[in-house]
Amino acid sequence: MKRLLSMLAILAAVNVHAQTPTNLIGNTGNIGIGTTAPISRLQVFDNNRNYYVNRPIAGQTGDSQGANYLLLHEIYDSTTGTLITDRHVMGKITGIRGSAGAYNRKLTIEVNTSSAYNANLGSLISYNEMAGLVTVVFNGKNYLAVEIYNGATLNNFSFTGYATSETLQLVKLNEISGRKLFTQTNVIGIPGSLSIGIPVGGASLVVGGGPTWTTNNWTKSIKLFNGAAMEFAGSTRSFGMGTSGGAFYFSHANVDGSGAANYYMIADGTSGNMTIGGTYPDPKYKLAVEGTFGARRIKVVQTGWPDYVFHSNYQLPSLQEVEAFVTTRHHLPGIPSEKEVTEEGLDLGDFDKQLLKKVEELTLYIIQLNKNVDTLNKKVAEQQEVITQLSKK
């Protein structure tokens, strides 16, 4: 029965070919509907578009010889301003490797790219391993391409989907120039809930690293553009990225990052300033802590250390000058007043420097006083000797 149905299908196809010259079953076994030159097992031309099934892409990637690039189509070049007709690749691209004697590697990519008039648009989703959209120059022309990271050879590439004025050619790193990351502005939407991983007790999202290489500007990261919002929230705690200035926060309440939240920590995405325990980063400080923090050691890098106090040309203030200053202002020269500390805080590095200066000045005062005491002691001893001699007479 199955063989009979197959024969009927073949006869029907031959009949269609006989009646419609634009359909063809070629000698290679390729079937064309709406075209007499099919380049895949099945090619359908309709609605002014080509649809390919399992269209082969010649070549293979290099074996750990650097990144490889799958050219999708030419793109609009803003430097020339020449408008272009529609070029697009919309579908799935796969590549494989593996056997009893070869490392198992699989790559599946869904692409939706287009260049027309004066714009280049595109999005990409990869499976099994990471890939990304880039623009490159090949043989003097600009292309949108899929960057395939360095690894064991991939081969038997194929494409299934719609394409117009496509290139679909594999090239290697040393064959291209001007490689740039392509900004993927097209939205990839998931209408409804998304669960990734189903552990006991519910769904979870686990980010376990990222791309397995760090060259070519690809890094292990999650990237959110300004204005985007993301939050990981539990019953009483949350971590997220707010929509106001791209703020990052750890919070006990207000998981959307708005209002007078009880923040554990919040960082301003514009200035990079961070506050721990406050409501929003203070623009005056890179790090502000609302409360007490403890540390095993604190190292302050400071310049202008006051060793100059011990130089011979240093003018040590007289004790009379110091007395006049503290009597009038009620604090030591060079040391901030209580009012200044209350209003402006205290620079620990500068304060340590000023304290050391005072200690060094006090040391000089003590040395001078000790010299004065020694001189007085000598004079007292001399006078005591005179008195002793006079008493013997």
Side-chain angles (χ1 to χ4, degrees):
M1 184 66 179
K2 291 182 179 179
R3 297 181 65 180
L4 177 60
L5 291 174
S6 298
M7 290 297 296
L8 289 173
I10 293 173
L11 290 173
V14 171
N15 184 51
V16 168
H17 173 58
Q19 296 178 13
T20 310
T22 55
N23 299 338
L24 175 71
I25 299 178
N27 295 331
T28 62
N30 293 349
I31 298 176
I33 300 176
T35 177
T36 59
I39 58 177
S40 66
R41 288 305 184 194
L42 173 61
Q43 178 179 343
V44 179
F45 181 76
D46 191 25
N47 196 26
N48 203 34
R49 295 195 302 174
N50 279 296
Y51 180 79
Y52 302 95
V53 175
N54 200 31
R55 171 178 167 176
I57 300 174
Q60 63 183 30
T61 64
D63 195 351
S64 302
Q65 299 298 313
N68 292 261
Y69 299 88
L70 176 55
L71 305 181
L72 298 176
H73 52 76
E74 291 184 49
I75 59 174
Y76 168 74
D77 185 357
S78 60
T79 59
T80 64
T82 303
L83 304 180
I84 62 173
T85 56
D86 190 37
R87 293 167 168 79
H88 65 255
V89 174
M90 297 183 294
K92 184 172 288 187
I93 298 171
T94 61
I96 63 172
R97 171 193 170 91
S99 68
Y103 171 73
N104 190 14
R105 184 182 180 193
K106 302 291 177 285
L107 177 64
T108 301
I109 305 166
E110 291 185 10
V111 294
N112 188 343
T113 65
S114 177
S115 293
Y117 195 66
N118 65 351
N120 304 305
L121 301 174
S123 59
L124 177 149
I125 301 175
S126 61
Y127 303 88
N128 306 317
E129 60 183 53
M130 294 298 296
L133 288 175
V134 296
T135 60
V136 299
V137 178
F138 177 71
N139 286 342
K141 295 181 179 180
N142 294 301
Y143 288 89
L144 189 61
V146 176
E147 184 173 65
I148 303 170
Y149 84 88
N150 182 26
T153 302
L154 278 169
N155 47 45
N156 295 331
F157 282 90
S158 69
F159 168 73
T160 297
Y162 290 99
T164 296
S165 299
E166 71 280 4
T167 303
L168 295 180
Q169 177 182 348
L170 275 171
V171 296
K172 294 182 171 57
L173 179 63
N174 61 1
E175 297 177 293
I176 62 97
S177 62
R179 178 259 185 208
K180 296 179 182 177
L181 287 174
F182 179 76
T183 301
Q184 183 170 305
T185 56
N186 286 166
V187 174
I188 298 175
I190 301 176
S193 301
L194 170 65
S195 295
I196 301 179
I198 308 296
V200 176
S204 67
L205 169 62
V206 179
V207 180
T212 57
W213 77 104
T214 56
T215 58
N216 297 332
N217 294 334
W218 297 102
T219 57
K220 300 173 188 280
S221 64
I222 297 177
K223 184 174 183 180
L224 298 178
F225 288 95
N226 287 339
M230 175 184 71
E231 62 186 33
F232 299 92
S235 59
T236 59
R237 295 174 178 84
S238 68
F239 160 73
M241 176 180 178
T243 57
S244 178
F248 293 90
Y249 59 88
F250 292 89
S251 176
H252 186 73
N254 291 8
V255 295
D256 62 355
S258 63
N262 182 15
Y263 292 117
Y264 292 137
M265 181 174 68
I266 183 167
D268 186 353
T270 301
S271 65
N273 294 356
M274 179 178 292
T275 288
I276 299 176
T279 57
Y280 208 78
D282 192 316
K284 295 183 294 185
Y285 308 115
K286 279 299 177 185
L287 173 63
V289 178
E290 184 64 33
T292 303
F293 76 92
R296 193 172 300 278
R297 295 181 63 185
I298 296 178
K299 183 176 181 179
V300 178
V301 179
Q302 187 59 263
T303 58
W305 210 235
D307 290 349
Y308 56 83
V309 170
F310 293 136
H311 292 176
S312 59
N313 59 352
Y314 178 70
Q315 297 296 317
L316 181 66
S318 68
L319 289 175
Q320 291 78 12
E321 292 174 330
V322 175
E323 180 184 16
F325 187 94
V326 298
T327 301
T328 304
R329 306 192 185 186
H330 309 293
H331 65 89
L332 286 172
I335 301 298
S337 66
E338 179 183 6
K339 183 176 183 294
E340 291 173 324
V341 173
T342 302
E343 293 179 353
E344 301 178 12
L346 190 67
D347 185 322
L348 289 180
D350 186 65
F351 186 64
D352 283 346
K353 182 171 64 175
Q354 294 300 326
L355 282 180
L356 178 61
K357 180 179 178 181
K358 295 307 168 189
V359 171
E360 291 177 343
E361 289 179 342
L362 284 173
T363 302
L364 291 179
Y365 290 131
I366 292 172
I367 291 172
Q368 185 61 49
L369 288 173
N370 187 63
K371 289 179 179 179
N372 293 341
V373 170
D374 285 344
T375 300
L376 290 173
N377 285 339
K378 288 179 181 180
K379 289 182 178 181
V380 169
E382 289 173 356
Q383 291 175 356
Q384 186 63 43
E385 180 65 24
V386 171
I387 293 172
T388 301
Q389 293 298 327
L390 289 174
S391 63
K392 291 180 180 180
K393 293 181 180 180

